[in-house]
Amino acid sequence: MSPNRNYIKGRKLEYELKKMYEELGCTCLRTAGSHGFADLVVINKAGVMFVQAKVCKSETEAKRMITRFKKSPFLALSDRYEQVFVVKVPRVGLFMGSTIEQVINVE
């Protein structure tokens, strides 16, 4: 049985983000199949980031998902790590929200 389209899109985004963080000099671990609070664990000199990645159909939906995340992050807030929520909208770009920064659009 082959994976469904949503899984394939999500996995592709995880690999894109992993490559992006590694090119920035970070160590990046993909937590495939964990169904946990983070798809990627990113480690750099500044600390640790837990990254959750999603793909959705519209910019409005992406911003709504990030707003929901900012109101209720998946872990308790801490200065020991950053939580990042990344949403990709095909043909539009990446939207990122974190427990530290405001929502940004990365094109």
Side-chain angles (χ1 to χ4, degrees):
M1 179 181 199
S2 63
N4 70 42
R5 287 184 189 160
N6 290 336
Y7 172 80
I8 292 169
K9 288 177 185 177
R11 181 182 63 195
K12 182 179 177 188
L13 174 59
E14 290 169 12
Y15 280 115
E16 288 172 14
L17 293 172
K18 184 177 187 300
K19 182 180 177 183
M20 178 188 78
Y21 283 118
E22 288 173 342
E23 287 174 352
L24 293 172
C26 302
T27 299
C28 188
L29 308 170
R30 183 173 169 261
T31 60
S34 69
H35 302 288
F37 59 84
D39 295 317
L40 301 170
V41 178
V42 180
I43 304 163
N44 63 21
K45 291 178 183 177
V48 176
M49 288 187 290
F50 296 107
V51 181
Q52 181 64 249
K54 298 287 182 199
V55 178
C56 70
K57 295 179 181 178
S58 73
E59 187 174 332
T60 302
E61 183 181 359
K63 289 180 178 179
R64 185 172 30 245
M65 291 171 80
I66 291 172
T67 299
R68 196 175 324 134
F69 159 75
K70 300 231 1 129
K71 288 181 182 176
S72 181
F74 34 84
L75 293 173
L77 296 178
S78 173
D79 58 356
R80 296 177 185 236
Y81 54 81
E82 180 180 0
Q83 299 172 69
V84 180
F85 194 80
V86 180
V87 184
K88 181 177 184 174
V89 181
R91 295 177 295 286
V92 176
L94 293 177
F95 295 84
M96 303 175 82
S98 84
T99 52
I100 297 174
E101 301 171 12
Q102 298 297 318
V103 175
I104 59 172
N105 181 358
V106 181
E107 293 187 35

